[in-house]
Amino acid sequence: MASQSAPEESLKDALGRPLKDLRISVTDRCNFRCSYCMPLEKYEWIDRREILSFEEITRLAKLFVQLGVEDVRLTGGEPILRHGLEQLVVQLARLDGLKDLCLTTNASLLGQKAHALAQAGLKRINVSLDTINKEKFQQMTRRDDLADVLGGIFGAMRYGIKPVKLNSVIQRGVNDDDILELVEFSRQNGFWIRFIEYMDVGNSNNWVSDTMVSKKEILEKINERYPLQEIGRNDESAPAVNYSFLDGIGKVGVIASVTEPFCSGCTRGRLTADGKLVTCLFSDQGHDLKKLIRQGASDQDIIGAIRLAWSTRKDRYSEERLEALKSGEYRPDSRKKMEMISLGG
Ligand code: SAM
Ligand code: SF4
Ligand code: SF4
């Protein structure tokens, strides 16, 4: 992540949005079964032979950086399940022009890996944590791993991975009564928490709009107890709107993908574990870059394929969903989407 290499000619999609962020799913497997993401016990997993090797991921990441990507986030499925993940971090951390390298994890295995990941050059981590109540955690993830998750989060801090951000998806009637406890936990321990509106990702979470708790409701609940002041987004393409607490202790963010969609500033591409470039979280298919790599394509051929995919991108699913929700015409199952586990969050 040192000096800037000469970028390719600026790449923009059909709506004028640059490609600045890349989320790389390193595996579609996960050891949790979160009700909002991966509720089924079994999925049709990607064949292991189809999963990109670390060398293939690094080659692609380098080309994406040449095209303007500044931030890479490793995700999944559960990325720490990928054997030797720290070796990938070492390779990516060396890429010229990459400004930020982050990991999104459920943290259940982070305690065992935090030291190796920190040594490999990982600077930032986002952890999914929807409750700190043991029984509810088990109900939401169908695993009894809360103690390991908390151990992992504190372990990461000890090894100097900062900031550790917590992400909580809020579902009505499930964990909306945990919001204040999560805020308090974060303020006491120096975490930056972001609440995420529940979305209709994938095809199996049976999303209905009533179970989504809006940004407005989340903020009202927090503000009643801990008054807030809006700071805004980190930059115009950042999904979270941030707030500081008026007493000066900590910050909180809300990602309002459903009620305040941010498609117009969306600069995020996604690379699936089997090497498909996906231009929207709600896409039904991707552009197969692995096929090109394994057919022996040159870097310029691959860059050409990425350019073509991105320059023709017109995705604005969340904006369209809001329009349809307002007119009462939205049906989440009206189109088959790729699963969140293969796309990464
Ligand atoms: N397993 C890792 C984790 O949970 O952090 C990384 C992958 S997970 C798919 C990435 C992010 O997607 C998590 O922050 C998770 O909360 C979010 N996510 C999954 N399903 C969601 C949904 N239906 N609505 C909103 N966010 C969701
Ligand atoms: Fe696994 Fe993350 Fe999805 Fe939960 S949110 S099921 S931890 S991939
Ligand atoms: Fe980006 Fe698609 Fe999400 Fe809109 S719906 S913000 S285009 S990923």
Side-chain angles (χ1 to χ4, degrees):
M1 282 184 275
S3 60
Q4 193 92 22
S5 60
E8 290 265 329
E9 195 191 325
S10 151
L11 174 59
K12 297 231 169 101
D13 72 9
L15 303 178
R17 301 166 295 186
L19 172 56
K20 276 176 45 190
D21 312 89
L22 183 65
R23 299 195 174 172
I24 303 178
S25 172
V26 295
T27 177
D28 61 340
R29 267 84 169 165
C30 188
N31 50 345
F32 283 12
R33 288 293 176 276
C34 301
S35 52
Y36 52 76
C37 173
M38 203 180 174
L40 311 178
E41 204 50 54
K42 284 208 159 57
Y43 286 82
E44 213 174 292
W45 306 113
I46 300 172
D47 187 314
R48 285 183 195 281
R49 287 166 301 187
E50 304 302 321
I51 302 273
L52 292 182
S53 67
F54 290 164
E55 287 64 35
E56 289 170 327
I57 294 176
T58 306
R59 180 178 174 200
L60 285 175
K62 190 173 170 191
L63 301 180
F64 275 100
V65 170
Q66 284 178 28
L67 284 164
V69 164
E70 297 175 344
D71 299 345
V72 164
R73 184 186 298 179
L74 299 175
T75 176
E78 174 43 45
I80 302 184
L81 285 180
R82 179 82 187 252
H83 186 67
L85 183 69
E86 61 278 16
Q87 290 152 26
L88 177 64
V89 171
V90 168
Q91 294 180 32
L92 294 177
R94 286 192 193 127
L95 288 182
D96 276 355
L98 187 63
K99 292 188 181 155
D100 193 20
L101 178 60
C102 174
L103 173 74
T104 301
T105 173
N106 66 27
S108 57
L109 302 167
L110 187 58
Q112 305 162 27
K113 278 285 179 183
H115 185 45
L117 288 167
Q119 280 201 319
L122 188 73
K123 298 279 184 291
R124 293 202 308 116
I125 227 162
N126 289 348
V127 174
S128 296
L129 183 67
D130 306 312
T131 176
I132 51 169
N133 174 295
K134 186 172 154 52
E135 284 73 40
K136 199 177 290 184
F137 184 92
Q138 192 164 9
Q139 177 200 335
M140 289 187 77
T141 63
R142 300 227 301 279
R143 300 293 183 265
D144 188 16
D145 286 359
L146 179 62
D148 290 338
V149 168
L150 296 179
I153 297 173
F154 287 110
M157 271 193 128
R158 263 197 312 281
Y159 291 117
I161 302 181
K162 270 190 194 153
V164 175
K165 289 187 189 168
L166 305 181
N167 289 333
S168 304
V169 177
I170 301 299
Q171 284 175 281
R172 194 179 309 285
V174 178
N175 64 337
D176 48 344
D177 53 351
D178 291 44
I179 293 174
L180 281 182
E181 198 176 14
L182 285 163
V183 164
E184 279 153 13
F185 174 76
S186 307
R187 279 161 51 91
Q188 280 159 14
N189 294 293
F191 302 123
W192 182 344
I193 188 155
R194 282 124 37 107
F195 294 99
I196 306 177
E197 287 181 351
Y198 175 37
M199 296 184 283
D200 55 320
V201 296
N203 308 294
S204 31
N205 68 6
N206 294 323
W207 186 89
V208 284
S209 59
D210 287 352
T211 51
M212 184 268 310
V213 182
S214 69
K215 173 184 171 209
K216 183 167 174 287
E217 291 173 89
I218 293 170
L219 287 176
E220 274 170 8
K221 198 167 257 198
I222 302 172
N223 197 53
E224 253 173 43
R225 177 73 186 81
Y226 299 104
L228 294 165
Q229 184 169 26
E230 181 169 335
I231 312 172
R233 295 181 197 271
N234 280 350
D235 60 66
E236 57 186 354
S237 66
V241 180
N242 300 316
Y243 298 79
S244 59
F245 293 101
L246 286 184
D247 64 8
I249 305 173
K251 277 192 276 193
V252 63
V254 186
I255 301 180
S257 327
V258 180
T259 61
E260 293 176 17
F262 34 82
C263 299
S264 59
C266 179
T267 55
R268 281 171 292 286
R270 292 177 162 82
L271 185 65
T272 63
D274 60 348
K276 297 197 175 83
L277 168 61
V278 180
T279 57
C280 177
L281 194 50
F282 299 90
S283 297
D284 58 354
Q285 57 187 329
H287 305 262
D288 197 348
L289 302 181
K290 182 197 69 203
K291 193 167 156 202
L292 288 178
I293 290 192
R294 295 194 182 169
Q295 281 171 348
S298 68
D299 284 356
Q300 277 317 310
D301 289 342
I302 298 170
I303 282 185
I306 299 172
R307 279 188 166 283
L308 181 62
W310 193 262
S311 59
T312 51
R313 172 188 192 241
K314 290 189 186 137
D315 306 291
R316 46 184 293 279
Y317 186 91
S318 293
E319 288 179 352
E320 289 163 358
R321 176 182 51 211
L322 185 61
E323 287 156 18
L325 280 170
K326 281 181 178 162
S327 62
E329 283 166 11
Y330 186 61
R331 288 194 38 237
D333 56 355
S334 60
R335 99 175 189 208
K336 196 164 160 53
K337 302 163 219 143
M338 296 178 84
E339 288 297 337
M340 186 83 156
I341 45 164
S342 43
L343 287 179

